Amino acid sequence: MTTTRPSFWYGIPRGYLQLDLDPSSEQFELLAEQVLGMPAELREKTDQVFRFYAGALLLLNQQQVQGCAIGLHPDGSGGILSSVITVTTMSASGVDPKLVIATLVKTADEVPDKHIQPLELPCGTGFLVEEERTTTAPGKPSDGSMEPLEGTIWQGTVAVPAVASSEIIMLQLVTSQVDFVDDYRNVLLGFASTLTFTDPSLAKTKSRGDSYAAQVRSPFG
């Protein structure tokens, strides 16, 4: 079997666990066995989580997501903050990807409550698009009504045209912790700054004589 050589690379921020978007059938069978082996009082909730996981993988693959990681960070008060980062690509075959991004930015700029700004990243020029929107929230209403719960999320997206292809790289962070937007914006910008179109393994080969401290600073280890 041949493996397609990636055209871009990135580093995962601290506190994020990358998901396997293409688990084997053996892995799924093992998870199912573990769910069935749970005590009866835990089995129902565990089964719900397992089904949610399977459905999320299906949805991510349908959206051609190439990378996804779940973030869990302490909030300083004994609680946990959660967020999700995803990496996708948009094909701009036959069209200059920079023109496609310019069109997308112009379209987004016409939508209320969206903030757009250009970015100068180590890999080139990109754009940051931010918005807050209302969406369905997990859980059930405490009043017993059948209406789904709603909540506000912050969504930040960095779009960068690829160097050697007609693709547009989309790096996105979504969180319901809207009180920590400034922190999550910094996480997204730091994540975007690791994007590169140069194979980091080549850089490692060239820098074998560098100091250990310099290697530690590298986002690729």
Side-chain angles (χ1 to χ4, degrees), residues 155-196:
Q155 177 177 295
T157 305
V158 173
V160 182
V163 171
S165 70
S166 59
E167 293 179 326
I168 297 172
I169 316 302
M170 310 285 283
L171 310 176
Q172 188 173 88
L173 189 154
V174 178
T175 180
S176 60
Q177 316 295 331
V178 293
D179 292 336
F180 294 83
V181 166
D182 291 341
D183 296 313
Y184 279 114
R185 183 186 301 108
N186 289 334
V187 171
L188 177 60
L189 295 178
F191 178 38
S193 70
T194 69
L195 181 66
T196 179

Side-chain angles (χ1 to χ4, degrees), residues 3 18 21 30 48 74 81 117 177 181 188 190 198 201 206:
T3 301
Q18 191 161 14
L21 298 180
L30 178 59
Q48 291 176 354
L81 305 175
Q117 70 178 73
Q177 316 295 331
V181 166
L188 177 60
T198 302
S201 64
K206 294 179 181 179

Side-chain angles (χ1 to χ4, degrees), residues 204 215-216 218-221:
K204 285 184 180 180
Q215 294 179 22
V216 169
S218 169
F220 300 99

